Amino acid sequence: MGSSETALRLSFNEELRKVGVLLDLGGLTPMSRGALVRYSRSQCKVIDGPFAEAKELIAGYSLLEVKTFAEAIEWARRAPFGLLVQDGEEWEVELRPLFDPTEFDVPGEAEKRARRLGEKPGKA
């Protein structure tokens, strides 16, 4: 990757930061340095890397805070990832919203838990 491509990517990341939507970004190490944790109903199995070559893997991430999913799609459309793609290749960027903790709770439980955690130690 040339210096102009690097400068364009840095400029895009700086724009995300300046408008206040970039929360975090980073690269991930190769799967050869990773592990898989596979769950079944009765056990949890850890499998150390390296793994067989995968066609699809996550190499990095950007965490954005936007008002709508459509806004996230617009930012992804503007990203300069096309500069990294070789002729005949295609890259994909997967977009996913984060879970809202309330999606895992019985209605009202999140609020009760937050109040409980906010209490001083020693109180019931």
Side-chain angles (χ1 to χ4, degrees), residues 2-14 78-80 83:
S3 62
S4 62
E5 290 91 354
T6 300
L8 187 56
R9 284 182 41 235
L10 292 173
S11 174
F12 180 72
N13 289 341
E14 182 63 17
R78 293 180 52 197
L83 298 172

Side-chain angles (χ1 to χ4, degrees), residues 66-124:
V66 293
K67 292 180 175 94
T68 65
F69 195 66
E71 184 182 352
I73 290 171
E74 283 307 310
W75 280 111
R77 291 173 64 89
R78 293 180 52 197
F81 297 126
L83 298 172
L84 305 172
V85 180
Q86 302 297 316
D87 286 338
E89 290 183 340
E90 288 185 329
W91 281 22
E92 292 180 344
V93 171
E94 182 177 344
L95 303 178
R96 291 194 220 172
L98 295 176
F99 275 110
D100 180 336
T102 60
E103 293 178 39
F104 297 102
D105 287 312
V106 173
E109 283 297 312
E111 293 82 8
K112 289 178 192 174
R113 188 169 39 258
R115 280 195 301 273
R116 201 169 50 245
L117 292 172
E119 292 175 350
K120 302 272 188 230
K123 289 190 176 182

Side-chain angles (χ1 to χ4, degrees), residues 25-89:
L25 61 87
L28 302 174
T29 60
M31 282 299 294
S32 62
R33 295 177 57 189
L36 291 175
V37 180
R38 186 170 291 148
Y39 302 90
S40 70
R41 191 131 178 104
S42 62
Q43 66 178 337
C44 175
K45 183 178 181 181
V46 177
I47 305 160
D48 293 326
F51 305 101
E53 183 179 334
K55 289 186 177 189
E56 300 170 1
L57 62 97
I58 298 173
Y61 68 92
S62 296
L63 182 60
L64 307 181
E65 183 174 41
V66 293
K67 292 180 175 94
T68 65
F69 195 66
E71 184 182 352
I73 290 171
E74 283 307 310
W75 280 111
R77 291 173 64 89
R78 293 180 52 197
F81 297 126
L83 298 172
L84 305 172
V85 180
Q86 302 297 316
D87 286 338
E89 290 183 340

